[in-house]
Each structure stands twice: as structure tokens, then as C-alpha cells.
Amino acid sequence: MDKKKVVAPLVCHGHSRPVVDLSYSPITPDGFFLISASKDSTPMLRNGETGDWIGTFEGHKGAVWSCCLDKHALRAASASADFSAKLWDALTGDVLHSFDHKHIVRACAFSEDTNLLLTGGFEKILRIFDLNRPDAPPREIDSSPGSVRTVAWLHSDQTILSSSGDAGGLRLWDVRTGKVVQILETKFPVTSAEVSQDGRYITTADGSSVKFWDANHFGLVKSHELPCKVESASLEPKFGNRFIAGGEDMWVHVFDFHTGEEIGCNKGHHGPVHCLRFSPGGESYASGSEDGTIRIWQLGPHGQIEDNSTANGSTTANANDGMGEVTQKIDELAVSETKKKEETQVDGVEQKVVDA
């Protein structure tokens, strides 16, 4: 294999505590953006391409566990251990509204039409807030089997998916009835759930497994076992021919979607990798770690994945052959029918909780 120059990752400093969630905006007329959540209580907004800091959202009094941007990148939302979720003006950084809860809020997500905000957390209740009437009481769905770990929308906001930190499986809820319509079974609690850009596939991480599901027929498309516990995974959005995964071993692994073969490994973080996401165009991907940094990794020429085998991610390495020639699209996939302990802050006081 030829030796190729590996481009060093863009290392984004600023957070003083672990980075626990990352979310990209779609591509907008002004580019695309990256928002990060951290236990330091201050979500940060960055240019998604360069990693340059744009602003910090100040107002939470506890660890921020989840964050997201609406499709226009004009508003941001965050979920915190201070028993609140907040809606922010992404241009000014001002708080537009604070939604009070009775316990730690672990997850949040904008609806596709940007009119609704979904939250979930330790209360075991899914709440849907109408952003056009933020002072109105939210709609509540309270049949979660345990604390809510992840939430997302799909099927043009007709379905909600959620996972629990206390039980395995991914639950899909009919928004109209508030009832579970399907459970995607997993052996361990799902720590990461991502809906593909076209809304057809769901990527999950549980235990040491990364799974890909058909979001319409709910069949399991692929399942790959990794050699270590995985906290997050993301599917490349343009071709769907590779995915990234990271967790306890502190590395960002790149895999071939079809075979599960590892085709790249990025080493540079100095703590477990808690979150991973591909950029909306698939030309780069971001990782957030216990070490408090965000790293943005660029793909090689022609979409090649380069194997970065050094500790700091900035020197030469071997490139895997053939990846630049893969062009099979995601809709050609054959569909089968078929924490450790972490610290959270509540009102500025640290507590130990078991994060399944």
C-alpha cells in the first residue's frame, strides 16, 4: 500500500469538562454548523467545516447532556442536569425559553418542521413542546420503561424513537396515539441512535455492537460486533458505504458498511469517545471525548479513509486501498426482514450516577 500524507485533525478546544454530545446542522446558505454539549454546562457553536468557535450558550447551571440545531441553524436546544431544557437564538446566543422539568433532562430533538421540541430524561417521560406556544403545557408520553437516554423524530414527525438507559431496545412511538408501535430489540441499552438524512435507516450502538435498521419496515439491515464497548456510531450520509464508531478504547474507528472490516483508525483522544457524527455532506466527521476536546477528521482524496496510527493524529500512515472507488448508494442496500459511572452536576453540586 502506498504511503500518503495524513491531514491532522482539527482539534477544537474550549470545553473544560467532557464532551458528551455533538450535532451538525443541515447545509444552509451560510454553510453548516456544529454544536457540542459538555458537562461544563456551556454548549458551544462552531463552523462545521473549519471547527472555528462562533459562540457559547451561557445559562445552564448543570451538565449539558444533549444539544441540537434546527434545520435552518437559527435556533439551538439543549438538555441539562439542572432540570431544564433551553431554546436558544443561535445568532445571538440569547435564551428564548427555558422548559422546566422535575429531574435531569438527558435528550432533546427538534422536529423536522422545527415547530416542536422533544425532550426526555430521568423522569421516564417524553415531552413534546410547541415552540409556537412555549408557555403552553407540553404533551406527555409516560410509558418509557426507564430513564430516557436518546430521542429522535422520523417519518415526517409522525414517529418518535427513544432508548432507555435502564433497558435494551429502541422504542418507536406513534405521535398521534402516544403508543409504542415497534421495539427494535437489542441486548444492551442503546447509547446512540441516529436517523439517516433520507429518513430510511436508523444507526444504533449498544454494548459492543453497531446495528443498522430499516426505519420503514423495522428489519435489521446489518449488525457488526466491535472489539470494545461502543458509545456512539454514525453512518456516512452520502453513499452509506462506511460508518464510524467510538467508545472506551479512545479511538475513532472507520468500518466498511458491507463487510464490517475496519478500514481506518484515528488515534488522538486521551479519554473515551462519547459522541461521533458525520458532517451533512460526509466529507468529515467529528468526535467528542472525555478529554474535553472535539476533533474534526477529514476524509482523504476521493473519499479515501486514511489509517492514522499515531497518538497525536498528525503524522503519516498507511492508506487502505480501494475506498475511493466505492460508489454504491445506501438505497441499494439489501434489507433483511428480519458506564461506567459518570459525574453529573445538579445545581452546581456533583453527584455520582450510573450511566447505563
Side-chain angles (χ1 to χ4, degrees), residues 143-221:
S143 300
S144 178
S147 62
V148 178
R149 176 69 182 264
T150 65
V151 297
W153 298 84
L154 69 160
H155 299 158
S156 300
D157 302 332
Q158 298 302 305
T159 306
I160 288 170
L161 65 82
S162 70
S163 70
S164 170
D166 307 315
L170 193 70
R171 284 159 179 80
L172 291 94
W173 309 76
D174 187 310
V175 172
R176 294 167 296 178
T177 65
K179 304 296 183 182
V180 174
V181 295
Q182 187 77 24
I183 299 177
L184 308 183
E185 298 289 352
T186 63
K187 185 176 180 180
F188 300 102
V190 173
T191 55
S192 172
E194 175 192 70
V195 179
S196 62
Q197 284 187 11
D198 60 10
R200 296 174 60 195
Y201 295 91
I202 302 168
T203 303
T204 63
D206 73 285
S208 60
S209 175
V210 176
K211 295 180 175 66
F212 302 92
W213 311 83
D214 185 300
N216 297 307
H217 303 289
F218 310 122
L220 183 62
V221 180

Side-chain angles (χ1 to χ4, degrees), residues 243-262:
F243 67 93
I244 51 175
E248 288 185 346
D249 67 358
M250 302 184 288
W251 299 347
V252 179
H253 301 272
V254 187
F255 297 92
D256 181 277
F257 173 86
H258 305 286
T259 66
E261 177 187 0
E262 184 171 349

